[in-house]
Amino acid sequence: MVAPDLHAAVRPQRRLFWMFPLVLLLLLPLAGIAAEGASLRWSLPADAPPATRDAALAALAGELLDPPSDSSLTDVQRSQLLLVAGRPAQATAAIERLQQSFRDAGDPARAQRWVPYLLYAQARADTGDTLEVAYARAFRAQFARLDDLAALQTHYWFVTNLAGAQAELRDALAAQAGKSSITRDGALEVLRQAAFVQTYASTTNLAPSLIEEDEGRRFEIDDDVRIPAGDGVVLSAHMVRQRGVRAPQPAAMMFTIYTNPQKNRSQAALAAARGYVGVVVDARGKRDGTGQVAPYETEGEDANAAIDWISRQPWNDGQVVMYGGSYSGFAAWAAAKHAHPALKAIAPYVAAIPGLGLPMENNVFLSANYAWPFYVANTRLLDNDTYNQRSRWDALTENWYRSGRPYRQIDAVDGTPNPWLQRWLAHPDYDAYWQAMVPYGDDYARITIPVLSVTGYYDDGQISALEYFKQHTRRVPGADHRLLIGPYDHFGSQASVKAMELRGYAVDPVAQFDTQGITFEWFDHVLRGAPLPALLSDRVNYQLMGANRWEHAPSLDAAAGAYRAFHLTSARDGDRYRLSEQVPHQRDAISQTVDFADRSTQRHSYYPYPIMRDGAPTDGGLAFVSDAFPAPVDVVGSFSGDLKIRINKRDVDLTVTLYELMQDGRVMQLSYFVGRASYARDMTHRQLLTPGRWTTLPLQRTRMTGRQLAAGSRLLVIVDVLKDAQHQVNHGTGRDVSDESVADAGVPLKIDWHPDSLLRIPLREATP
């Protein structure tokens, strides 16, 4: 998954919970590129045939490599250039040196990423046989040296989006068409892309059968497992065991709607390589199963049936654990609701709560997941053709917004019915329909097994993951439930290797860890008495951004340390208002006017893209700033508050965004809230506002952050009315928002913010 696309109005569109096994586009970054320097000779017609193109690229690589060669080339760059220049023996030696440097630096995963390049270079250097024979020989020799887990982790790097890489290279070359020279930086970038495309053009054809052979040598694999569920439904599944193991083992189960047989088989094999029976179960109606696909509605019962079936197999020792991200994390919680005695632990990552985090958040329906039902429910596998129509989905929200039509008619704007969206829109309350899908209320009291929850400060679904943690530890005070959270987005929270730059924020080096690796270390602790991973040493485990360290606490309140109240005052601070810890003397309200009939404009975007900005957002909203902190302070936890407002309508959707404003003017987004005023007190029951009357709304279900603010930094809070193309537009009539149209806009909304409004922000003195 790439970063969110940008709309015409430069508003990032969220891609919330579009979670599927990642298709790797392994474009290894260039490190340490020097100044641009002199240009290099270059000539390639736009319509050049592949042979001419490759010759031109080889000559370009040679110009950088040959005397007088560029001494500033990194080892990564030199390896790529040698491949493109057609010097495979030298490339082999360079890549082997590069891999050893990564291993010496304690980064074996990065060495694994280069194996596809190494095998391609070795095969090309072996001129005694065909490329196919030479490649197979190199592959078998390489993998004969690896244990099961290392082999599978290396297999991962052979999967890629070759077509996407080829298109990227074509675009880069097209941009150079007709030119007689190319800059050094431009040359290095084009050659990086060429090395990737040349390597994977062969790898994509030659590696799959060899990977399958290697897996078969190591594991017993059954892709045709059938599991009986309720109502006569049968679920299909993959089951993988290590060869030669005959004693019963615990089973590690993932339940998924993302039906990709190759990837799901590999996922089961990774569990087997760690000493478990790996089982990946397809959701109802997927792959070879029966029944109708029903996202979110039957996972609890079906996963519970799968646990029961697994526990009665001769290869299982009666113990089952569940793990997985996003949808699979939701499925683990859905199964835990049934408290099967064989289910011994769950490790959900960025787990969704349908109806709370998606497709609506705090009762506001979002459009970020609009295409998801087509992707998972159109076919027995995955409807990539429909899902990948990016321009269609990006244009749809803007087209709907400009049309002014009711949100319930957004599929009519698209031209294709979306029955699942319509089904969800029929439940604007967090009612029994949603509550039945996951644990709710007293259901949590029956969940006494250990739980490991993994999420990120910038995970779109953090609101759900945090709600699971809060509800479980509240209902079971002694619950062995560990939260692991840091500066990750939805995909990074689940990844074996974290991105070290996230939306403009340079992540602290200590934040790096392998999510699945620590999951199985923790499973070994729970089931086999292995040591508890140090990263999970307490109930709340968080990476303190800016301090480059992990911290651990027994509870969210203990991690926060203290909550300080800040008032939204009407006192001015330049072009902003004062965010004060003192009760304001000035009691004037602050007023905003929002015209919902005007679809040419949108309001302040709360979404954290980018995370780090050169200056404060200028796209609307009321901005409040605190005094500068004379010494570093830590912000750890979720803000809350009470917003006292008065409006001339019956309802309104609100956003509150929290930033660090640094001395140099840069801002870093820390947390945000989006929600509907009429549900602020109770998500299950709508309570409309009285026009012209002051009302105080409790602010809760916000996102957790963990950041050390530097001395001189200030808090910046922006409050606003929600009005954009990515959400329903609440016109304030009091009717179902999905049925309101621009014709219901009426007079502009007037909203007054009372200075009694306050935010409680978790602030403590910075720990050394």
Side-chain angles (χ1 to χ4, degrees), residues 149 240-242 245-252 270-278 315-321 344-345 450 480 516-533:
L149 182 57
V240 180
R241 300 183 67 197
Q242 283 181 311
V245 175
R246 291 293 170 261
Q249 296 175 294
L270 281 166
R274 289 181 161 100
Y276 294 74
V277 179
W315 39 260
N316 181 242
D317 65 359
Q319 301 183 97
V320 180
V321 293
K344 302 301 183 182
D480 182 5
Q516 192 172 104
I518 201 166
T519 294
F520 279 89
E521 290 179 37
W522 179 73
F523 282 153
D524 286 348
H525 166 73
V526 171
L527 299 185
R528 295 165 169 162
L532 177 69

Side-chain angles (χ1 to χ4, degrees), residues 628-633 660-663 707-714:
F629 296 105
V633 293
E660 174 188 4
L661 175 58
M662 304 176 194
Q663 275 189 304
R707 167 76 171 168
Q708 186 166 99
L709 277 57
S713 285
R714 297 190 286 172

Side-chain angles (χ1 to χ4, degrees), residues 288-523:
D288 298 325
T290 64
Q292 295 298 313
V293 179
Y296 309 131
E297 295 187 358
T298 64
E299 281 77 0
E301 293 81 0
D302 291 349
N304 189 64
I307 293 167
D308 185 70
W309 181 86
I310 290 169
S311 69
R312 292 184 284 103
Q313 303 310 302
W315 39 260
N316 181 242
D317 65 359
Q319 301 183 97
V320 180
V321 293
M322 287 187 71
Y323 68 106
S326 196
Y327 172 94
S328 294
F330 143 75
W333 276 110
K337 179 174 183 173
H338 295 266
H340 195 287
L343 183 62
K344 302 301 183 182
I346 60 172
Y349 323 140
V350 294
I353 297 182
L356 193 151
L358 85 169
M360 65 180 184
E361 178 168 333
N362 290 325
N363 302 92
V364 178
F365 278 92
L366 319 170
S367 297
N369 276 77
Y370 184 87
W372 185 81
F374 300 120
Y375 179 55
V376 299
N378 275 4
T379 70
R380 286 189 166 273
L381 297 179
L382 296 171
D383 188 354
N384 289 291
D385 291 341
T386 299
Y387 186 74
N388 290 335
Q389 295 173 19
R390 310 307 309 167
S391 59
R392 171 186 173 185
W393 306 125
D394 291 342
L396 172 60
T397 53
E398 297 291 341
N399 291 339
W400 162 77
Y401 181 76
R402 288 193 298 268
S403 76
R405 296 175 69 170
Y407 193 77
R408 202 181 302 278
Q409 295 179 17
I410 190 172
D411 53 357
V413 176
D414 175 53
T416 301
N418 190 334
W420 283 105
L421 174 68
Q422 297 300 330
R423 191 165 186 157
W424 297 329
L425 290 177
H427 299 276
D429 300 340
Y430 188 72
D431 59 15
Y433 173 76
W434 304 110
Q435 295 167 15
M437 296 176 181
V438 295
Y440 179 74
D442 291 339
D443 292 337
Y444 284 99
R446 296 193 298 274
I447 302 175
T448 58
I449 58 174
V451 179
L452 170 61
S453 290
V454 182
T455 187
Y457 299 138
Y458 301 100
D459 164 32
D460 296 331
Q462 191 215 104
I463 185 175
S464 296
L466 214 58
E467 185 72 5
Y468 281 123
F469 179 78
K470 290 177 179 178
Q471 292 296 330
H472 188 211
T473 54
R474 181 179 303 153
R475 307 278 178 167
V476 186
D480 182 5
H481 189 156
R482 296 174 192 271
L483 175 68
L484 181 60
I485 186 169
Y488 319 114
D489 62 7
H490 195 63
F491 298 116
S493 299
Q494 306 169 68
S496 58
V497 179
K498 315 304 185 196
M500 296 314 290
E501 182 173 323
L502 180 62
R503 305 179 200 165
Y505 168 65
V507 175
D508 292 344
V510 76
Q512 190 63 244
F513 77 94
D514 177 350
T515 296
Q516 192 172 104
I518 201 166
T519 294
F520 279 89
E521 290 179 37
W522 179 73
F523 282 153

